[in-house]
PDB file of all heavy atoms in Angstrom:
ATOM      1  N   THR A 235      10.440   7.677  10.955  1.00  0.00           N
ATOM      2  CA  THR A 235       9.546   8.164  12.037  1.00  0.00           C
ATOM      3  C   THR A 235       9.785   9.597  12.335  1.00  0.00           C
ATOM      4  O   THR A 235       8.862  10.314  12.714  1.00  0.00           O
ATOM      5  CB  THR A 235       9.932   7.263  13.261  1.00  0.00           C
ATOM      6  OG1 THR A 235       9.502   5.884  13.060  1.00  0.00           O
ATOM      7  CG2 THR A 235       9.183   7.787  14.559  1.00  0.00           C
ATOM      8  N   PRO A 236      10.913  10.287  12.189  1.00  0.00           N
ATOM      9  CA  PRO A 236      11.008  11.784  12.315  1.00  0.00           C
ATOM     10  C   PRO A 236      10.012  12.487  11.474  1.00  0.00           C
ATOM     11  O   PRO A 236       9.722  13.633  11.914  1.00  0.00           O
ATOM     12  CB  PRO A 236      12.511  11.989  11.976  1.00  0.00           C
ATOM     13  CG  PRO A 236      13.226  10.810  12.292  1.00  0.00           C
ATOM     14  CD  PRO A 236      12.168   9.647  11.949  1.00  0.00           C
ATOM     15  N   LEU A 237       9.451  12.010  10.522  1.00  0.00           N
ATOM     16  CA  LEU A 237       8.489  12.703   9.798  1.00  0.00           C
ATOM     17  C   LEU A 237       7.270  13.079  10.738  1.00  0.00           C
ATOM     18  O   LEU A 237       6.729  14.143  10.587  1.00  0.00           O
ATOM     19  CB  LEU A 237       7.841  11.728   8.613  1.00  0.00           C
ATOM     20  CG  LEU A 237       6.669  12.217   7.906  1.00  0.00           C
ATOM     21  CD1 LEU A 237       6.994  13.494   7.159  1.00  0.00           C
ATOM     22  CD2 LEU A 237       6.058  11.159   6.918  1.00  0.00           C
ATOM     23  N   VAL A 238       6.940  12.160  11.702  1.00  0.00           N
ATOM     24  CA  VAL A 238       5.810  12.445  12.636  1.00  0.00           C
ATOM     25  C   VAL A 238       6.214  13.756  13.416  1.00  0.00           C
ATOM     26  O   VAL A 238       5.222  14.636  13.558  1.00  0.00           O
ATOM     27  CB  VAL A 238       5.716  11.330  13.654  1.00  0.00           C
ATOM     28  CG1 VAL A 238       4.588  11.662  14.646  1.00  0.00           C
ATOM     29  CG2 VAL A 238       5.277  10.042  12.886  1.00  0.00           C
ATOM     30  N   GLY A 239       7.326  13.971  13.871  1.00  0.00           N
ATOM     31  CA  GLY A 239       7.766  15.133  14.650  1.00  0.00           C
ATOM     32  C   GLY A 239       7.848  16.460  13.818  1.00  0.00           C
ATOM     33  O   GLY A 239       7.996  17.422  14.398  1.00  0.00           O
ATOM     34  N   SER A 240       7.821  16.248  12.517  1.00  0.00           N
ATOM     35  CA  SER A 240       8.050  17.413  11.747  1.00  0.00           C
ATOM     36  C   SER A 240       6.701  18.136  11.374  1.00  0.00           C
ATOM     37  O   SER A 240       6.821  19.199  10.731  1.00  0.00           O
ATOM     38  CB  SER A 240       8.745  16.965  10.417  1.00  0.00           C
ATOM     39  OG  SER A 240       7.796  16.356   9.465  1.00  0.00           O
ATOM     40  N   VAL A 241       5.622  17.603  11.817  1.00  0.00           N
ATOM     41  CA  VAL A 241       4.325  18.226  11.483  1.00  0.00           C
ATOM     42  C   VAL A 241       3.521  18.392  12.845  1.00  0.00           C
ATOM     43  O   VAL A 241       4.071  18.011  13.844  1.00  0.00           O
ATOM     44  CB  VAL A 241       3.435  17.299  10.528  1.00  0.00           C
ATOM     45  CG1 VAL A 241       4.173  17.247   9.100  1.00  0.00           C
ATOM     46  CG2 VAL A 241       3.230  15.989  11.157  1.00  0.00           C
ATOM     47  N   HIS A 242       2.336  19.019  12.768  1.00  0.00           N
ATOM     48  CA  HIS A 242       1.680  19.465  14.029  1.00  0.00           C
ATOM     49  C   HIS A 242       0.244  18.945  13.943  1.00  0.00           C
ATOM     50  O   HIS A 242      -0.276  18.723  12.912  1.00  0.00           O
ATOM     51  CB  HIS A 242       1.788  20.898  14.246  1.00  0.00           C
ATOM     52  CG  HIS A 242       3.190  21.384  14.162  1.00  0.00           C
ATOM     53  ND1 HIS A 242       4.034  21.341  15.333  1.00  0.00           N
ATOM     54  CD2 HIS A 242       3.954  22.026  13.227  1.00  0.00           C
ATOM     55  CE1 HIS A 242       5.220  21.859  15.095  1.00  0.00           C
ATOM     56  NE2 HIS A 242       5.207  22.288  13.785  1.00  0.00           N
ATOM     57  N   GLY A 243      -0.405  19.038  15.021  1.00  0.00           N
ATOM     58  CA  GLY A 243      -1.799  18.817  15.157  1.00  0.00           C
ATOM     59  C   GLY A 243      -2.256  17.337  14.816  1.00  0.00           C
ATOM     60  O   GLY A 243      -1.610  16.430  15.056  1.00  0.00           O
ATOM     61  N   ARG A 244      -3.409  17.392  14.122  1.00  0.00           N
ATOM     62  CA  ARG A 244      -4.006  16.164  13.783  1.00  0.00           C
ATOM     63  C   ARG A 244      -3.178  15.339  12.774  1.00  0.00           C
ATOM     64  O   ARG A 244      -3.361  14.085  12.613  1.00  0.00           O
ATOM     65  CB  ARG A 244      -5.459  16.287  13.346  1.00  0.00           C
ATOM     66  CG  ARG A 244      -6.425  16.687  14.566  1.00  0.00           C
ATOM     67  CD  ARG A 244      -7.845  16.891  14.227  1.00  0.00           C
ATOM     68  NE  ARG A 244      -8.084  18.254  13.717  1.00  0.00           N
ATOM     69  CZ  ARG A 244      -9.216  18.708  13.461  1.00  0.00           C
ATOM     70  NH1 ARG A 244     -10.343  18.111  13.559  1.00  0.00           N
ATOM     71  NH2 ARG A 244      -9.296  20.003  13.105  1.00  0.00           N
ATOM     72  N   LEU A 245      -2.421  16.080  11.934  1.00  0.00           N
ATOM     73  CA  LEU A 245      -1.619  15.361  11.008  1.00  0.00           C
ATOM     74  C   LEU A 245      -0.489  14.623  11.697  1.00  0.00           C
ATOM     75  O   LEU A 245      -0.168  13.418  11.337  1.00  0.00           O
ATOM     76  CB  LEU A 245      -0.914  16.303  10.017  1.00  0.00           C
ATOM     77  CG  LEU A 245      -0.013  15.641   9.038  1.00  0.00           C
ATOM     78  CD1 LEU A 245      -0.713  14.676   8.147  1.00  0.00           C
ATOM     79  CD2 LEU A 245       0.516  16.711   8.042  1.00  0.00           C
ATOM     80  N   ARG A 246      -0.051  15.107  12.759  1.00  0.00           N
ATOM     81  CA  ARG A 246       1.029  14.344  13.578  1.00  0.00           C
ATOM     82  C   ARG A 246       0.305  12.960  14.119  1.00  0.00           C
ATOM     83  O   ARG A 246       0.990  11.957  13.986  1.00  0.00           O
ATOM     84  CB  ARG A 246       1.407  15.223  14.759  1.00  0.00           C
ATOM     85  CG  ARG A 246       2.405  14.433  15.624  1.00  0.00           C
ATOM     86  CD  ARG A 246       3.009  15.337  16.803  1.00  0.00           C
ATOM     87  NE  ARG A 246       3.881  16.299  16.264  1.00  0.00           N
ATOM     88  CZ  ARG A 246       4.597  17.086  16.951  1.00  0.00           C
ATOM     89  NH1 ARG A 246       4.594  16.991  18.247  1.00  0.00           N
ATOM     90  NH2 ARG A 246       5.392  18.009  16.474  1.00  0.00           N
ATOM     91  N   LEU A 247      -0.800  13.099  14.581  1.00  0.00           N
ATOM     92  CA  LEU A 247      -1.562  11.911  15.072  1.00  0.00           C
ATOM     93  C   LEU A 247      -1.861  10.913  13.872  1.00  0.00           C
ATOM     94  O   LEU A 247      -1.639   9.654  14.080  1.00  0.00           O
ATOM     95  CB  LEU A 247      -2.843  12.334  15.817  1.00  0.00           C
ATOM     96  CG  LEU A 247      -3.713  11.108  16.426  1.00  0.00           C
ATOM     97  CD1 LEU A 247      -2.871  10.373  17.393  1.00  0.00           C
ATOM     98  CD2 LEU A 247      -4.959  11.796  17.040  1.00  0.00           C
ATOM     99  N   LEU A 248      -2.275  11.402  12.771  1.00  0.00           N
ATOM    100  CA  LEU A 248      -2.427  10.510  11.587  1.00  0.00           C
ATOM    101  C   LEU A 248      -1.175   9.782  11.213  1.00  0.00           C
ATOM    102  O   LEU A 248      -1.208   8.533  11.047  1.00  0.00           O
ATOM    103  CB  LEU A 248      -2.996  11.287  10.434  1.00  0.00           C
ATOM    104  CG  LEU A 248      -3.280  10.552   9.164  1.00  0.00           C
ATOM    105  CD1 LEU A 248      -4.374   9.541   9.393  1.00  0.00           C
ATOM    106  CD2 LEU A 248      -3.591  11.520   7.998  1.00  0.00           C
ATOM    107  N   LEU A 249      -0.102  10.528  11.107  1.00  0.00           N
ATOM    108  CA  LEU A 249       1.153   9.880  10.694  1.00  0.00           C
ATOM    109  C   LEU A 249       1.707   9.052  11.876  1.00  0.00           C
ATOM    110  O   LEU A 249       2.222   7.924  11.446  1.00  0.00           O
ATOM    111  CB  LEU A 249       2.081  10.911  10.406  1.00  0.00           C
ATOM    112  CG  LEU A 249       1.774  11.893   9.156  1.00  0.00           C
ATOM    113  CD1 LEU A 249       2.866  12.895   8.968  1.00  0.00           C
ATOM    114  CD2 LEU A 249       1.568  11.100   7.876  1.00  0.00           C
ATOM    115  N   ALA A 250       1.526   9.293  13.015  1.00  0.00           N
ATOM    116  CA  ALA A 250       1.856   8.361  14.166  1.00  0.00           C
ATOM    117  C   ALA A 250       1.085   7.107  14.058  1.00  0.00           C
ATOM    118  O   ALA A 250       1.566   5.921  14.492  1.00  0.00           O
ATOM    119  CB  ALA A 250       1.657   9.081  15.462  1.00  0.00           C
ATOM    120  N   GLY A 251      -0.078   7.299  13.507  1.00  0.00           N
ATOM    121  CA  GLY A 251      -0.997   6.068  13.395  1.00  0.00           C
ATOM    122  C   GLY A 251      -0.396   5.084  12.369  1.00  0.00           C
ATOM    123  O   GLY A 251      -0.446   3.933  12.467  1.00  0.00           O
ATOM    124  N   PHE A 252       0.007   5.685  11.195  1.00  0.00           N
ATOM    125  CA  PHE A 252       0.655   4.875  10.191  1.00  0.00           C
ATOM    126  C   PHE A 252       1.890   4.126  10.884  1.00  0.00           C
ATOM    127  O   PHE A 252       2.176   3.015  10.599  1.00  0.00           O
ATOM    128  CB  PHE A 252       0.989   5.661   8.914  1.00  0.00           C
ATOM    129  CG  PHE A 252      -0.187   6.305   8.295  1.00  0.00           C
ATOM    130  CD1 PHE A 252      -0.141   7.500   7.693  1.00  0.00           C
ATOM    131  CD2 PHE A 252      -1.314   5.477   8.138  1.00  0.00           C
ATOM    132  CE1 PHE A 252      -1.246   8.111   7.154  1.00  0.00           C
ATOM    133  CE2 PHE A 252      -2.437   6.034   7.575  1.00  0.00           C
ATOM    134  CZ  PHE A 252      -2.460   7.286   6.942  1.00  0.00           C
ATOM    135  N   VAL A 253       2.922   4.890  11.415  1.00  0.00           N
ATOM    136  CA  VAL A 253       3.965   4.387  11.994  1.00  0.00           C
ATOM    137  C   VAL A 253       3.610   3.367  13.196  1.00  0.00           C
ATOM    138  O   VAL A 253       4.276   2.101  13.140  1.00  0.00           O
ATOM    139  CB  VAL A 253       4.940   5.437  12.623  1.00  0.00           C
ATOM    140  CG1 VAL A 253       6.177   4.879  13.386  1.00  0.00           C
ATOM    141  CG2 VAL A 253       5.486   6.307  11.476  1.00  0.00           C
TER     142      VAL A 253
END
Side-chain angles (χ1 to χ4, degrees):
T235 297
L237 174 65
V238 176
S240 76
V241 298
H242 304 283
R244 284 178 278 188
L245 179 57
R246 177 178 289 189
L247 183 55
L248 178 65
L249 298 181
F252 294 144
V253 172

